[in-house]
């Protein structure tokens, strides 16, 4: 239902049937990455994305994720993409660089390529914090990817 008369409002759709989703996962914190991946793929399947329509690429760390996502986005094969990984604060400034630049890279790719990207790169103080957040974040990313893919498809369908 539209919020105002005569205003078209796009419906939120979490129907993943027929969508093709690409996932890029960092191998740097493997336990956290695998937890994010498990939650994400379980939720994608629950939303109706066929397992054969989910592709996974792994990369060494968070800074390698944007380039891989860009290549996937430029292929034209994917309706949406998901970035998964964890950047854990250490004793040096490296945390800020990796967290900020990986996030900036994801935003640039989705704006340049027009393919939505769900950001599931956790930025946490420690491993315990990341472990506590990984299930919810992985699931949230699946929902974001499906919703945004459907929204962008709806723009093309409305005349």
């Amino acid at each position: 239902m539209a919020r105002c008369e005569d205003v078209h409002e796009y419906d939120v759709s979490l129907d993943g049937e027929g969508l093709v989703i690409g996932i890029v996962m960092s191998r740097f914190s493997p336990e956290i990455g695998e937890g994010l991946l498990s939650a994400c793929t379980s939720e994608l399947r629950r939303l109706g994305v066929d397992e054969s329509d989910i592709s996974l690429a792994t990369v060494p760390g968070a800074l390698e994720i944007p380039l891989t996502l860009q290549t996937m986005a430029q292929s034209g094969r994917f309706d949406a993409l998901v970035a998964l990984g964890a950047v854990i604060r250490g004793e040096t400034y490296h945390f800020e660089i990796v967290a900020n630049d990986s996030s900036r890279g994801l935003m640039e790719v989705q704006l340049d390529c027009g393919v939505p990207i769900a950001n599931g790169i956790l930025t946490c103080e420690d491993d315990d914090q990341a472990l506590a957040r990984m299930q919810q974040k992985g699931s949230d990313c699946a929902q974001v990817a499906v919703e945004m893919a459907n929204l962008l498809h709806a723009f093309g369908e409305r005349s």
Side-chain angles (χ1 to χ4, degrees):
M1 172 182 280
R3 297 171 201 267
C4 301
E5 280 187 46
D6 300 324
V7 173
H8 178 268
E9 183 172 345
Y10 291 93
D11 293 327
V12 173
S13 173
L14 291 175
D15 179 4
E17 186 177 345
L19 295 179
V20 179
I21 308 295
I23 301 171
V24 179
M25 181 183 75
S26 165
R27 296 186 306 267
F28 189 75
S29 297
E31 182 179 4
I32 297 162
E34 291 295 332
L36 287 161
L37 179 64
S38 174
C40 182
T41 55
S42 291
E43 183 67 4
L44 286 171
R45 288 190 303 270
R46 189 187 75 76
L47 295 173
V49 178
D50 191 276
E51 195 165 302
S52 66
D53 288 330
I54 302 171
S55 296
L56 171 66
T58 65
V59 296
L63 290 177
E64 292 75 31
I65 292 174
L67 176 61
T68 309
L69 289 168
Q70 181 180 50
T71 303
M72 292 172 88
Q74 290 172 341
S75 76
R77 293 181 45 226
F78 300 95
D79 296 296
L81 300 167
V82 178
L84 300 176
V87 182
I88 309 297
R89 185 178 299 280
E91 296 179 14
T92 67
Y93 184 70
H94 187 66
F95 170 85
E96 283 83 3
I97 293 169
V98 175
N100 292 337
D101 285 348
S102 62
S103 179
R104 179 192 50 78
L106 268 58
M107 185 60 66
E108 285 181 15
V109 169
Q110 85 176 331
L111 292 175
D112 290 347
C113 297
V115 177
I117 299 172
N119 185 351
I121 302 175
L122 296 173
T123 52
C124 300
E125 294 295 322
D126 54 42
D127 286 342
D128 290 337
Q129 197 177 67
L131 290 167
R133 294 177 59 205
M134 67 184 181
Q135 293 296 316
Q136 185 64 51
K137 188 64 166 181
S139 179
D140 289 348
C141 284
Q143 293 175 16
V144 167
V146 168
E147 180 178 340
M148 290 303 297
N150 285 326
L151 178 62
L152 294 186
H153 287 315
F155 292 154
E157 294 169 0
R158 187 160 194 263
S159 46

